[in-house]
Amino acid sequence: MKIRKLNLAFAYGAGVAIAPGLIAHAQTSSTVAIAATPPMGWSSWNHFGEKVTAADVKAAADALVESGMRDAGYIYVNVDDGWQGTRDASGRIQPNSRFGDMKALSDYIHSKGLKLGIYSSPGAQTCTGFEGSLGHELQDAQTYGEWGVDYLKYDLCTLGGIIGTYGPKSKEIPYRDTLAQMQHAYELMHRALASVSRPIVYSFCQYGFGNSWRWAASDGANLWRTTGDIRDNYQRMINIGFSQNGLEKYAGPGHWNDPDMLEVGNGGMSHDEYLSHMSLWALLAAPLLAGNDLRTMSDDTRKILMNREVIEIDQDAAGIQAHRAWSEGTTEIWVKQLADGSSAVGLFNQADWMASVDVDFRRLGFPGKVYVRNVWTKDDLGSFAHEFSTLVPRHGVVLLEVRMASK
Ligand code: GLA
């Protein structure tokens, strides 16, 4: 094994203030309350794709309860693309034969103490060609309300082609109007959802087009995708996660950056890579939407998804998203300030070999002695004047909780 010795010097301290005025005007205390911390749950897409069935969704709900995930905070059961059928004579959307009765599914999920999420598009079709909501926004929102839906992911899909989001494709619609049209489409559904009597978490999925973090919250979003799709692959996952630096000022209670759903347990990454994935998403205050088959998950997967301290970092009440505090070569250090004054610190090693990482806590904004805990191994490592050194596995992470020692 090759060991690389690194001496780290940090570029700047941990203080990240949320810029005043970024809290969206469209948010009311009730829309903030439904996503006061990043939403947690499960989504059908990453494992089941568009062939998902109601039976798969019910089984996921059962597994959320039996595994203890529900009690750890994973409460949304999100049906992604693939549930839709056609519209009836009145234009009302019908589920397809794999789903049958959405109200019955919703009742089942609610009976388990869980919440139901659904998926649609502002376009005429979704990304895999199912019926979208274009021209039926109000009707669909009301139907979701009647079914008992608690969460809507609204995915740009075919509307992107019409308004030219993927480039100035449409001659009829000049490219400069694209952003306004995209905002209009999302706002339309926001107004439709606001007319429904139950609170519905509103998730924008348009891959960060038009720098959505700048405007999505003011158009009603509780969360908005910031990137293209994740894959169950270390390089893609880590690139997406690390690309979030700089977006921290847009996140906070009620409105979150969404670097996409979790791939933990889907089989394409090593144990250390999944630890990096979960640690980075927790540091980023990202929505934690498991995307694996919960019926067959291994103990390792369960332990990653259900580590209480890692979930607490993600769900911290202050809602401060981590920033990159330092990077050199293949090593990155990310810091998330927590409500109790401590910080979560992630030491990430992207190299294909184990690395030794030396940290100077003074450079992270800790002027005196600190207590350090290794979150994954649950080891209290003791107090350090300021220097700290640890090995970080290939593609792995050491996730620390760091707090000032009292005098
Ligand atoms: C897009 C989204 C994915 C998923 C699929 C469904 O690719 O980004 O998360 O919802 O559509 O078709």
Side-chain angles (χ1 to χ4, degrees):
M1 187 181 298
K2 190 169 170 187
I3 309 277
R4 206 164 63 119
K5 184 82 177 162
L6 292 173
N7 284 302
L8 304 189
F10 293 95
Y12 62 96
V16 178
I18 294 179
L22 282 171
I23 305 299
H25 1 285
Q27 292 207 298
T28 62
S29 53
S30 61
T31 59
V32 170
I34 54 171
T37 59
M40 291 176 66
W42 171 86
S43 162
S44 59
W45 181 253
N46 283 351
H47 181 79
F48 292 94
E50 72 270 26
K51 297 205 168 57
V52 62
T53 66
D56 297 329
V57 175
K58 282 184 176 172
D62 294 344
L64 282 172
V65 177
E66 281 154 23
S67 64
M69 284 178 72
R70 177 197 63 188
D71 295 340
Y74 292 87
I75 56 164
Y76 287 97
V77 180
N78 290 356
V79 182
D80 206 280
D81 207 357
W83 64 268
Q84 311 88 329
T86 51
R87 293 185 183 278
D88 68 12
S90 70
R92 185 178 164 101
I93 186 75
Q94 306 296 314
N96 61 39
S97 59
R98 293 193 305 277
F99 278 84
D101 183 343
M102 293 305 271
K103 181 70 172 71
L105 179 62
S106 168
D107 289 345
Y108 185 83
I109 283 166
H110 290 140
S111 77
K112 301 256 161 188
L114 296 161
K115 292 176 184 282
L116 173 65
I118 210 167
Y119 166 101
S120 191
S121 170
Q125 273 101 41
T126 66
C127 297
T128 55
F130 289 88
E131 186 75 18
S133 292
L134 184 65
H136 294 272
E137 293 82 359
L138 187 58
Q139 192 177 25
D140 284 357
Q142 282 167 356
T143 303
Y144 303 154
E146 286 163 26
W147 286 343
V149 165
D150 305 292
Y151 183 120
L152 172 68
K153 172 175 169 183
Y154 208 41
D155 191 346
L156 186 67
C157 296
T158 56
L159 189 76
I162 297 172
I163 65 179
T165 313
Y166 305 113
K169 279 184 184 164
S170 165
K171 294 223 163 40
E172 296 75 35
I173 305 167
Y175 188 56
R176 65 177 178 278
D177 290 343
T178 296
L179 178 59
Q181 290 181 81
M182 188 160 57
Q183 288 179 290
H184 174 72
Y186 278 84
E187 217 183 306
L188 205 60
M189 183 52 93
H190 171 54
R191 285 205 297 271
L193 293 175
S195 75
V196 172
S197 57
R198 60 189 299 118
I200 298 181
V201 171
Y202 191 21
S203 158
F204 286 19
C205 178
Q206 31 74 258
Y207 340 114
F209 288 164
N211 297 331
S212 45
W213 43 89
R214 293 186 192 279
W215 53 268
S218 42
D219 285 329
N222 293 114
L223 60 157
W224 52 87
R225 280 274 296 279
T226 51
T227 70
D229 288 10
I230 196 168
R231 289 193 298 277
D232 187 17
N233 159 297
Y234 176 72
Q235 215 50 60
R236 177 69 179 160
M237 177 280 294
I238 210 79
N239 288 346
I240 282 183
F242 288 161
S243 74
Q244 302 303 288
N245 195 47
L247 302 189
E248 59 272 6
K249 58 181 172 291
Y250 300 102
H255 51 280
W256 307 101
N257 291 306
D258 174 8
D260 208 355
M261 302 167 288
L262 295 169
E263 291 283 10
V264 175
N266 277 332
M269 292 188 235
S270 70
H271 181 69
D272 282 324
E273 291 170 342
Y274 281 137
L275 290 177
S276 293
H277 185 12
M278 187 73 186
S279 304
L280 187 50
W281 262 235
L283 286 161
L284 292 171
L288 296 180
L289 295 169
N292 57 316
D293 185 349
L294 302 176
R295 295 169 300 195
T296 57
M297 72 181 155
S298 65
D299 271 357
D300 262 8
T301 297
R302 191 178 288 112
K303 283 183 188 144
I304 295 174
L305 290 172
M306 286 179 53
N307 183 297
R308 189 181 51 79
E309 289 178 55
V310 177
I311 292 173
E312 278 171 9
I313 291 170
D314 180 80
Q315 297 287 300
D316 184 71
I320 299 173
Q321 178 177 321
H323 67 282
R324 177 191 285 126
W326 187 89
S327 77
E328 183 183 301
T330 47
T331 304
E332 301 222 358
I333 299 186
W334 285 65
V335 176
K336 181 185 203 293
Q337 284 185 300
L338 302 173
D340 68 357
S342 65
S343 292
V345 178
L347 315 177
F348 293 89
N349 174 25
Q350 295 177 83
D352 289 337
W353 49 83
M354 185 175 278
S356 173
V357 176
D358 298 339
V359 178
D360 182 343
F361 284 116
R362 288 173 303 192
R363 306 290 190 101
L364 287 175
F366 296 94
K369 196 164 82 164
V370 288
Y371 284 119
V372 179
R373 175 173 168 83
N374 183 320
V375 175
W376 285 111
T377 63
K378 302 186 195 300
D379 286 328
D380 286 318
L381 302 176
S383 62
F384 295 81
H386 47 81
E387 283 174 356
F388 175 82
S389 183
T390 188
L391 292 175
V392 187
R394 165 189 195 271
H395 294 184
V397 65
V398 170
L399 183 62
L400 303 174
E401 192 207 332
V402 180
R403 64 176 68 243
M404 291 293 296
S406 46
K407 295 235 162 87

